[in-house]
Amino acid sequence: MAYPSDLKYTKDHEWIRITGDTAEIGITDFAQQQLGDVVYVELPDVGRSISEGESFGSIESVKAVSELFAPMSGEVIEVNPSLRDHPEAINQNPHSTWMLRLRLSDPDATGALLESSQYQGLITS
């Protein structure tokens, strides 16, 4: 699968789509392949502040439970309500299925994030 160039990526296999001072966060195709069939997603409450690198929830599959880590700092302004009943959407379209939206503390603090080509290099090495 191609890794969209409009997304930034983390070494923990999350992606982030930044639009102004807000962002959507999800997991990469590589991550969902490693997990297998996703059966549950635990996400934070709206209004919670999360810091870059902090665990903000977990994702459970038939194989394992994995923590989710924030690519950037901010306040949770929305969680994807459809994931409560349909967590498998993450497997079907991982780069379009966002988990949460953040109001970013500093929209320019993208230094630790990877470009698409850098992320693809990471997962193929």
Side-chain angles (χ1 to χ4, degrees):
M1 169 174 266
Y3 288 84
S5 61
D6 67 322
L7 303 177
K8 303 281 188 195
Y9 302 88
T10 71
K11 292 179 180 177
D12 293 316
H13 311 292
E14 284 86 16
W15 58 257
I16 185 167
R17 178 180 289 116
I18 302 167
T19 308
D21 68 344
T22 63
E24 294 177 337
I25 296 171
I27 66 166
T28 66
D29 182 57
F30 178 82
Q32 71 82 23
Q33 286 179 35
Q34 297 299 305
L35 284 167
D37 294 334
V38 175
V39 295
Y40 181 73
V41 182
E42 179 185 64
L43 297 171
D45 293 329
V46 171
R48 177 177 160 194
S49 290
I50 56 176
S51 298
E52 178 183 334
E54 177 185 353
S55 173
F56 65 81
S58 62
I59 186 166
E60 183 176 340
S61 72
V62 294
K63 292 182 183 178
V65 176
S66 296
E67 286 188 87
L68 299 164
F69 297 97
M72 293 178 73
S73 300
E75 178 186 345
V76 178
I77 56 174
E78 187 177 2
V79 295
N80 189 335
S82 67
L83 292 179
R84 286 188 190 99
D85 295 327
H86 301 287
E88 70 278 2
I90 292 167
N91 294 112
Q92 295 161 358
N93 204 342
H95 297 142
S96 296
T97 305
W98 58 275
M99 296 179 179
L100 57 87
R101 288 190 172 125
L102 289 182
R103 177 162 291 108
L104 299 170
S105 302
D106 181 359
D108 297 322
T110 60
L113 300 175
L114 305 173
E115 298 293 332
S116 175
S117 61
Q118 294 172 305
Y119 181 73
Q120 289 179 73
L122 173 76
I123 61 174
T124 56
S125 61

